[in-house]
Amino acid sequence: MTEYRSPLAAQTIDTAEEGAAELLAGAQKATGMVPNMYAVMANSPGLLATYLDGYQRFRSGSGFTTAEQEAIFLTISRYNECDYCMAAHSFIADHMSKTPVEVTDAIRDDRPVDDERYAALVGMTRSLLETRGHPSDADVAAFREVGYTDAQVLELVLAVAVKTISNWSNHLFATPVDEVFASRVWSVPEKV
């Protein structure tokens, strides 16, 4: 079976529809670049707007540290096998959020995380993914035991929604990893 690839072109500030063009311009102004992921998502202004709004709300209101947020995004992107987001969030984890590299690398390699708090966070995120939103009482208890809250379970749902938007969009386009993230390129391990 051949995987579908969208025939739509990556958009620019000059070619994107109204609404999406402004969002791309905002990204350019904020980060100095238009990430390839945003350029392909701009083919659907509503998709790009929803992603950016949910992403910002999670970043600013989840109650997780920036390092924890990267662990969450990496866990979801690893589960969804998104090469682009694994590279981008690994880079952000290393250079901006200061997530412990041993945590980032454990998630990338699908190994257990040694740190108890991060292990509970990664475990709860995986539980939500694997059970499609039906975690066990034991999974939630382990999450709460290290200091997280029931409200943060809902924040994990937001993170899953946001990352699903970006991961699946990247699958449809085989989005090339931006050069800035190239030091942390990741590939889906071959199935044995």
Side-chain angles (χ1 to χ4, degrees), residues 123-153:
M124 185 65 217
T125 304
R126 281 187 183 150
S127 175
L128 282 170
L129 291 162
E130 291 168 357
T131 66
R132 293 173 176 77
H134 298 279
S136 69
D137 287 338
D139 290 336
V140 176
F143 184 67
R144 285 193 305 232
E145 190 172 298
V146 297
Y148 296 114
T149 67
D150 288 301
Q152 285 178 305
V153 173

PDB file of all heavy atoms in Angstrom, residues 123-153:
ATOM      1  N   GLY A 123       4.156   8.302  31.359  1.00  0.00           N
ATOM      2  CA  GLY A 123       3.241   7.167  31.504  1.00  0.00           C
ATOM      3  C   GLY A 123       1.787   7.571  31.365  1.00  0.00           C
ATOM      4  O   GLY A 123       0.995   6.872  30.709  1.00  0.00           O
ATOM      5  N   MET A 124       1.406   8.680  31.972  1.00  0.00           N
ATOM      6  CA  MET A 124       0.018   9.138  31.881  1.00  0.00           C
ATOM      7  C   MET A 124      -0.315   9.558  30.446  1.00  0.00           C
ATOM      8  O   MET A 124      -1.401   9.252  29.933  1.00  0.00           O
ATOM      9  CB  MET A 124      -0.212  10.303  32.846  1.00  0.00           C
ATOM     10  CG  MET A 124      -1.648  10.780  32.915  1.00  0.00           C
ATOM     11  SD  MET A 124      -2.732   9.525  33.600  1.00  0.00           S
ATOM     12  CE  MET A 124      -4.167   9.802  32.587  1.00  0.00           C
ATOM     13  N   THR A 125       0.611  10.235  29.800  1.00  0.00           N
ATOM     14  CA  THR A 125       0.391  10.649  28.408  1.00  0.00           C
ATOM     15  C   THR A 125       0.223   9.424  27.517  1.00  0.00           C
ATOM     16  O   THR A 125      -0.714   9.350  26.709  1.00  0.00           O
ATOM     17  CB  THR A 125       1.564  11.523  27.918  1.00  0.00           C
ATOM     18  OG1 THR A 125       1.726  12.635  28.813  1.00  0.00           O
ATOM     19  CG2 THR A 125       1.316  12.035  26.513  1.00  0.00           C
ATOM     20  N   ARG A 126       1.098   8.455  27.675  1.00  0.00           N
ATOM     21  CA  ARG A 126       0.995   7.211  26.887  1.00  0.00           C
ATOM     22  C   ARG A 126      -0.315   6.480  27.183  1.00  0.00           C
ATOM     23  O   ARG A 126      -0.944   5.929  26.275  1.00  0.00           O
ATOM     24  CB  ARG A 126       2.169   6.295  27.188  1.00  0.00           C
ATOM     25  CG  ARG A 126       3.431   6.684  26.490  1.00  0.00           C
ATOM     26  CD  ARG A 126       4.505   5.644  26.704  1.00  0.00           C
ATOM     27  NE  ARG A 126       5.732   6.064  26.079  1.00  0.00           N
ATOM     28  CZ  ARG A 126       6.932   5.741  26.503  1.00  0.00           C
ATOM     29  NH1 ARG A 126       7.088   4.978  27.579  1.00  0.00           N
ATOM     30  NH2 ARG A 126       8.003   6.160  25.864  1.00  0.00           N
ATOM     31  N   SER A 127      -0.707   6.471  28.445  1.00  0.00           N
ATOM     32  CA  SER A 127      -1.947   5.802  28.811  1.00  0.00           C
ATOM     33  C   SER A 127      -3.137   6.419  28.078  1.00  0.00           C
ATOM     34  O   SER A 127      -3.987   5.701  27.552  1.00  0.00           O
ATOM     35  CB  SER A 127      -2.170   5.867  30.326  1.00  0.00           C
ATOM     36  OG  SER A 127      -3.422   5.318  30.664  1.00  0.00           O
ATOM     37  N   LEU A 128      -3.181   7.751  28.039  1.00  0.00           N
ATOM     38  CA  LEU A 128      -4.280   8.410  27.319  1.00  0.00           C
ATOM     39  C   LEU A 128      -4.273   8.027  25.840  1.00  0.00           C
ATOM     40  O   LEU A 128      -5.327   7.782  25.251  1.00  0.00           O
ATOM     41  CB  LEU A 128      -4.175   9.927  27.466  1.00  0.00           C
ATOM     42  CG  LEU A 128      -4.642  10.496  28.791  1.00  0.00           C
ATOM     43  CD1 LEU A 128      -4.268  11.968  28.898  1.00  0.00           C
ATOM     44  CD2 LEU A 128      -6.143  10.315  28.966  1.00  0.00           C
ATOM     45  N   LEU A 129      -3.091   7.972  25.251  1.00  0.00           N
ATOM     46  CA  LEU A 129      -2.980   7.615  23.830  1.00  0.00           C
ATOM     47  C   LEU A 129      -3.381   6.161  23.592  1.00  0.00           C
ATOM     48  O   LEU A 129      -4.192   5.871  22.711  1.00  0.00           O
ATOM     49  CB  LEU A 129      -1.546   7.842  23.354  1.00  0.00           C
ATOM     50  CG  LEU A 129      -1.104   9.301  23.278  1.00  0.00           C
ATOM     51  CD1 LEU A 129       0.415   9.389  23.235  1.00  0.00           C
ATOM     52  CD2 LEU A 129      -1.721   9.992  22.077  1.00  0.00           C
ATOM     53  N   GLU A 130      -2.795   5.273  24.360  1.00  0.00           N
ATOM     54  CA  GLU A 130      -3.015   3.840  24.146  1.00  0.00           C
ATOM     55  C   GLU A 130      -4.447   3.409  24.436  1.00  0.00           C
ATOM     56  O   GLU A 130      -4.957   2.482  23.809  1.00  0.00           O
ATOM     57  CB  GLU A 130      -2.033   3.032  24.994  1.00  0.00           C
ATOM     58  CG  GLU A 130      -0.598   3.176  24.510  1.00  0.00           C
ATOM     59  CD  GLU A 130       0.441   2.637  25.471  1.00  0.00           C
ATOM     60  OE1 GLU A 130       0.069   2.182  26.588  1.00  0.00           O
ATOM     61  OE2 GLU A 130       1.637   2.664  25.113  1.00  0.00           O
ATOM     62  N   THR A 131      -5.104   4.079  25.387  1.00  0.00           N
ATOM     63  CA  THR A 131      -6.473   3.706  25.753  1.00  0.00           C
ATOM     64  C   THR A 131      -7.513   4.586  25.069  1.00  0.00           C
ATOM     65  O   THR A 131      -8.698   4.451  25.332  1.00  0.00           O
ATOM     66  CB  THR A 131      -6.680   3.800  27.284  1.00  0.00           C
ATOM     67  OG1 THR A 131      -6.581   5.171  27.691  1.00  0.00           O
ATOM     68  CG2 THR A 131      -5.698   2.926  28.035  1.00  0.00           C
ATOM     69  N   ARG A 132      -7.044   5.509  24.230  1.00  0.00           N
ATOM     70  CA  ARG A 132      -7.931   6.454  23.537  1.00  0.00           C
ATOM     71  C   ARG A 132      -8.826   7.211  24.517  1.00  0.00           C
ATOM     72  O   ARG A 132     -10.024   7.363  24.327  1.00  0.00           O
ATOM     73  CB  ARG A 132      -8.759   5.739  22.470  1.00  0.00           C
ATOM     74  CG  ARG A 132      -7.933   5.223  21.319  1.00  0.00           C
ATOM     75  CD  ARG A 132      -8.747   4.381  20.367  1.00  0.00           C
ATOM     76  NE  ARG A 132      -7.993   3.955  19.217  1.00  0.00           N
ATOM     77  CZ  ARG A 132      -7.099   2.968  19.205  1.00  0.00           C
ATOM     78  NH1 ARG A 132      -6.830   2.315  20.331  1.00  0.00           N
ATOM     79  NH2 ARG A 132      -6.465   2.625  18.115  1.00  0.00           N
ATOM     80  N   GLY A 133      -8.176   7.684  25.588  1.00  0.00           N
ATOM     81  CA  GLY A 133      -8.886   8.507  26.556  1.00  0.00           C
ATOM     82  C   GLY A 133      -9.582   7.748  27.661  1.00  0.00           C
ATOM     83  O   GLY A 133     -10.419   8.323  28.370  1.00  0.00           O
ATOM     84  N   HIS A 134      -9.223   6.490  27.851  1.00  0.00           N
ATOM     85  CA  HIS A 134      -9.808   5.675  28.916  1.00  0.00           C
ATOM     86  C   HIS A 134      -8.729   5.187  29.881  1.00  0.00           C
ATOM     87  O   HIS A 134      -8.546   3.981  30.056  1.00  0.00           O
ATOM     88  CB  HIS A 134     -10.535   4.450  28.338  1.00  0.00           C
ATOM     89  CG  HIS A 134     -11.683   4.765  27.451  1.00  0.00           C
ATOM     90  ND1 HIS A 134     -12.927   5.099  27.939  1.00  0.00           N
ATOM     91  CD2 HIS A 134     -11.782   4.814  26.101  1.00  0.00           C
ATOM     92  CE1 HIS A 134     -13.745   5.317  26.921  1.00  0.00           C
ATOM     93  NE2 HIS A 134     -13.078   5.167  25.797  1.00  0.00           N
ATOM     94  N   PRO A 135      -8.017   6.104  30.547  1.00  0.00           N
ATOM     95  CA  PRO A 135      -6.948   5.653  31.444  1.00  0.00           C
ATOM     96  C   PRO A 135      -7.532   4.904  32.634  1.00  0.00           C
ATOM     97  O   PRO A 135      -8.689   5.110  33.010  1.00  0.00           O
ATOM     98  CB  PRO A 135      -6.289   6.954  31.893  1.00  0.00           C
ATOM     99  CG  PRO A 135      -7.392   7.966  31.825  1.00  0.00           C
ATOM    100  CD  PRO A 135      -8.220   7.549  30.632  1.00  0.00           C
ATOM    101  N   SER A 136      -6.717   4.064  33.230  1.00  0.00           N
ATOM    102  CA  SER A 136      -7.159   3.335  34.421  1.00  0.00           C
ATOM    103  C   SER A 136      -7.050   4.232  35.643  1.00  0.00           C
ATOM    104  O   SER A 136      -6.323   5.238  35.649  1.00  0.00           O
ATOM    105  CB  SER A 136      -6.308   2.082  34.620  1.00  0.00           C
ATOM    106  OG  SER A 136      -4.992   2.463  34.995  1.00  0.00           O
ATOM    107  N   ASP A 137      -7.758   3.872  36.686  1.00  0.00           N
ATOM    108  CA  ASP A 137      -7.638   4.584  37.958  1.00  0.00           C
ATOM    109  C   ASP A 137      -6.193   4.547  38.445  1.00  0.00           C
ATOM    110  O   ASP A 137      -5.684   5.529  38.992  1.00  0.00           O
ATOM    111  CB  ASP A 137      -8.549   3.956  39.023  1.00  0.00           C
ATOM    112  CG  ASP A 137     -10.024   4.258  38.791  1.00  0.00           C
ATOM    113  OD1 ASP A 137     -10.342   5.246  38.100  1.00  0.00           O
ATOM    114  OD2 ASP A 137     -10.864   3.499  39.314  1.00  0.00           O
ATOM    115  N   ALA A 138      -5.514   3.415  38.231  1.00  0.00           N
ATOM    116  CA  ALA A 138      -4.130   3.268  38.678  1.00  0.00           C
ATOM    117  C   ALA A 138      -3.201   4.231  37.935  1.00  0.00           C
ATOM    118  O   ALA A 138      -2.289   4.813  38.534  1.00  0.00           O
ATOM    119  CB  ALA A 138      -3.665   1.825  38.486  1.00  0.00           C
ATOM    120  N   ASP A 139      -3.437   4.421  36.631  1.00  0.00           N
ATOM    121  CA  ASP A 139      -2.615   5.360  35.859  1.00  0.00           C
ATOM    122  C   ASP A 139      -2.775   6.782  36.381  1.00  0.00           C
ATOM    123  O   ASP A 139      -1.801   7.510  36.564  1.00  0.00           O
ATOM    124  CB  ASP A 139      -2.993   5.325  34.381  1.00  0.00           C
ATOM    125  CG  ASP A 139      -2.581   4.044  33.686  1.00  0.00           C
ATOM    126  OD1 ASP A 139      -1.632   3.381  34.155  1.00  0.00           O
ATOM    127  OD2 ASP A 139      -3.214   3.702  32.669  1.00  0.00           O
ATOM    128  N   VAL A 140      -4.007   7.172  36.636  1.00  0.00           N
ATOM    129  CA  VAL A 140      -4.267   8.527  37.136  1.00  0.00           C
ATOM    130  C   VAL A 140      -3.724   8.674  38.555  1.00  0.00           C
ATOM    131  O   VAL A 140      -3.135   9.710  38.900  1.00  0.00           O
ATOM    132  CB  VAL A 140      -5.769   8.883  37.056  1.00  0.00           C
ATOM    133  CG1 VAL A 140      -6.029  10.253  37.659  1.00  0.00           C
ATOM    134  CG2 VAL A 140      -6.250   8.835  35.605  1.00  0.00           C
ATOM    135  N   ALA A 141      -3.853   7.647  39.375  1.00  0.00           N
ATOM    136  CA  ALA A 141      -3.322   7.703  40.745  1.00  0.00           C
ATOM    137  C   ALA A 141      -1.810   7.891  40.732  1.00  0.00           C
ATOM    138  O   ALA A 141      -1.266   8.689  41.516  1.00  0.00           O
ATOM    139  CB  ALA A 141      -3.707   6.437  41.515  1.00  0.00           C
ATOM    140  N   ALA A 142      -1.107   7.205  39.842  1.00  0.00           N
ATOM    141  CA  ALA A 142       0.352   7.351  39.739  1.00  0.00           C
ATOM    142  C   ALA A 142       0.718   8.767  39.295  1.00  0.00           C
ATOM    143  O   ALA A 142       1.708   9.338  39.765  1.00  0.00           O
ATOM    144  CB  ALA A 142       0.909   6.320  38.765  1.00  0.00           C
ATOM    145  N   PHE A 143      -0.080   9.344  38.431  1.00  0.00           N
ATOM    146  CA  PHE A 143       0.117  10.713  37.956  1.00  0.00           C
ATOM    147  C   PHE A 143      -0.076  11.707  39.106  1.00  0.00           C
ATOM    148  O   PHE A 143       0.736  12.603  39.314  1.00  0.00           O
ATOM    149  CB  PHE A 143      -0.884  10.954  36.822  1.00  0.00           C
ATOM    150  CG  PHE A 143      -0.797  12.271  36.119  1.00  0.00           C
ATOM    151  CD1 PHE A 143       0.295  12.599  35.342  1.00  0.00           C
ATOM    152  CD2 PHE A 143      -1.858  13.174  36.180  1.00  0.00           C
ATOM    153  CE1 PHE A 143       0.354  13.805  34.649  1.00  0.00           C
ATOM    154  CE2 PHE A 143      -1.826  14.374  35.496  1.00  0.00           C
ATOM    155  CZ  PHE A 143      -0.712  14.694  34.729  1.00  0.00           C
ATOM    156  N   ARG A 144      -1.139  11.517  39.867  1.00  0.00           N
ATOM    157  CA  ARG A 144      -1.421  12.401  41.005  1.00  0.00           C
ATOM    158  C   ARG A 144      -0.411  12.223  42.129  1.00  0.00           C
ATOM    159  O   ARG A 144      -0.081  13.184  42.832  1.00  0.00           O
ATOM    160  CB  ARG A 144      -2.829  12.150  41.535  1.00  0.00           C
ATOM    161  CG  ARG A 144      -3.911  12.734  40.658  1.00  0.00           C
ATOM    162  CD  ARG A 144      -5.255  12.748  41.347  1.00  0.00           C
ATOM    163  NE  ARG A 144      -5.609  11.426  41.812  1.00  0.00           N
ATOM    164  CZ  ARG A 144      -6.753  10.804  41.565  1.00  0.00           C
ATOM    165  NH1 ARG A 144      -7.679  11.407  40.852  1.00  0.00           N
ATOM    166  NH2 ARG A 144      -7.002   9.618  42.024  1.00  0.00           N
ATOM    167  N   GLU A 145       0.081  11.016  42.293  1.00  0.00           N
ATOM    168  CA  GLU A 145       1.010  10.711  43.395  1.00  0.00           C
ATOM    169  C   GLU A 145       2.285  11.560  43.340  1.00  0.00           C
ATOM    170  O   GLU A 145       2.871  11.869  44.366  1.00  0.00           O
ATOM    171  CB  GLU A 145       1.381   9.231  43.355  1.00  0.00           C
ATOM    172  CG  GLU A 145       2.144   8.764  44.573  1.00  0.00           C
ATOM    173  CD  GLU A 145       2.312   7.265  44.563  1.00  0.00           C
ATOM    174  OE1 GLU A 145       1.288   6.547  44.597  1.00  0.00           O
ATOM    175  OE2 GLU A 145       3.480   6.809  44.501  1.00  0.00           O
ATOM    176  N   VAL A 146       2.705  11.962  42.146  1.00  0.00           N
ATOM    177  CA  VAL A 146       3.914  12.777  42.029  1.00  0.00           C
ATOM    178  C   VAL A 146       3.602  14.272  41.969  1.00  0.00           C
ATOM    179  O   VAL A 146       4.483  15.091  41.710  1.00  0.00           O
ATOM    180  CB  VAL A 146       4.783  12.351  40.822  1.00  0.00           C
ATOM    181  CG1 VAL A 146       5.285  10.932  40.998  1.00  0.00           C
ATOM    182  CG2 VAL A 146       4.051  12.533  39.510  1.00  0.00           C
ATOM    183  N   GLY A 147       2.329  14.642  42.195  1.00  0.00           N
ATOM    184  CA  GLY A 147       1.987  16.054  42.316  1.00  0.00           C
ATOM    185  C   GLY A 147       1.171  16.666  41.200  1.00  0.00           C
ATOM    186  O   GLY A 147       0.853  17.860  41.255  1.00  0.00           O
ATOM    187  N   TYR A 148       0.822  15.894  40.192  1.00  0.00           N
ATOM    188  CA  TYR A 148      -0.026  16.435  39.135  1.00  0.00           C
ATOM    189  C   TYR A 148      -1.488  16.372  39.560  1.00  0.00           C
ATOM    190  O   TYR A 148      -1.837  15.693  40.515  1.00  0.00           O
ATOM    191  CB  TYR A 148       0.185  15.664  37.823  1.00  0.00           C
ATOM    192  CG  TYR A 148       1.583  15.812  37.267  1.00  0.00           C
ATOM    193  CD1 TYR A 148       2.444  14.716  37.196  1.00  0.00           C
ATOM    194  CD2 TYR A 148       2.053  17.043  36.814  1.00  0.00           C
ATOM    195  CE1 TYR A 148       3.730  14.840  36.688  1.00  0.00           C
ATOM    196  CE2 TYR A 148       3.334  17.176  36.306  1.00  0.00           C
ATOM    197  CZ  TYR A 148       4.164  16.071  36.243  1.00  0.00           C
ATOM    198  OH  TYR A 148       5.430  16.210  35.734  1.00  0.00           O
ATOM    199  N   THR A 149      -2.335  17.090  38.839  1.00  0.00           N
ATOM    200  CA  THR A 149      -3.740  17.225  39.236  1.00  0.00           C
ATOM    201  C   THR A 149      -4.680  16.591  38.217  1.00  0.00           C
ATOM    202  O   THR A 149      -4.299  16.327  37.072  1.00  0.00           O
ATOM    203  CB  THR A 149      -4.119  18.710  39.369  1.00  0.00           C
ATOM    204  OG1 THR A 149      -4.085  19.312  38.065  1.00  0.00           O
ATOM    205  CG2 THR A 149      -3.177  19.452  40.321  1.00  0.00           C
ATOM    206  N   ASP A 150      -5.916  16.408  38.637  1.00  0.00           N
ATOM    207  CA  ASP A 150      -6.947  15.915  37.716  1.00  0.00           C
ATOM    208  C   ASP A 150      -7.181  16.907  36.574  1.00  0.00           C
ATOM    209  O   ASP A 150      -7.439  16.494  35.444  1.00  0.00           O
ATOM    210  CB  ASP A 150      -8.254  15.646  38.469  1.00  0.00           C
ATOM    211  CG  ASP A 150      -8.152  14.423  39.351  1.00  0.00           C
ATOM    212  OD1 ASP A 150      -7.883  13.330  38.819  1.00  0.00           O
ATOM    213  OD2 ASP A 150      -8.322  14.555  40.575  1.00  0.00           O
ATOM    214  N   ALA A 151      -7.083  18.196  36.864  1.00  0.00           N
ATOM    215  CA  ALA A 151      -7.237  19.193  35.801  1.00  0.00           C
ATOM    216  C   ALA A 151      -6.129  19.034  34.764  1.00  0.00           C
ATOM    217  O   ALA A 151      -6.354  19.256  33.563  1.00  0.00           O
ATOM    218  CB  ALA A 151      -7.233  20.605  36.382  1.00  0.00           C
ATOM    219  N   GLN A 152      -4.951  18.612  35.194  1.00  0.00           N
ATOM    220  CA  GLN A 152      -3.857  18.422  34.240  1.00  0.00           C
ATOM    221  C   GLN A 152      -4.056  17.196  33.355  1.00  0.00           C
ATOM    222  O   GLN A 152      -3.473  17.120  32.275  1.00  0.00           O
ATOM    223  CB  GLN A 152      -2.511  18.376  34.968  1.00  0.00           C
ATOM    224  CG  GLN A 152      -2.089  19.773  35.421  1.00  0.00           C
ATOM    225  CD  GLN A 152      -0.792  19.768  36.182  1.00  0.00           C
ATOM    226  OE1 GLN A 152      -0.644  19.059  37.170  1.00  0.00           O
ATOM    227  NE2 GLN A 152       0.159  20.562  35.711  1.00  0.00           N
ATOM    228  N   VAL A 153      -4.899  16.269  33.758  1.00  0.00           N
ATOM    229  CA  VAL A 153      -5.275  15.180  32.853  1.00  0.00           C
ATOM    230  C   VAL A 153      -5.977  15.790  31.640  1.00  0.00           C
ATOM    231  O   VAL A 153      -5.709  15.401  30.491  1.00  0.00           O
ATOM    232  CB  VAL A 153      -6.178  14.136  33.555  1.00  0.00           C
ATOM    233  CG1 VAL A 153      -6.699  13.106  32.558  1.00  0.00           C
ATOM    234  CG2 VAL A 153      -5.439  13.455  34.704  1.00  0.00           C
TER     235      VAL A 153
END
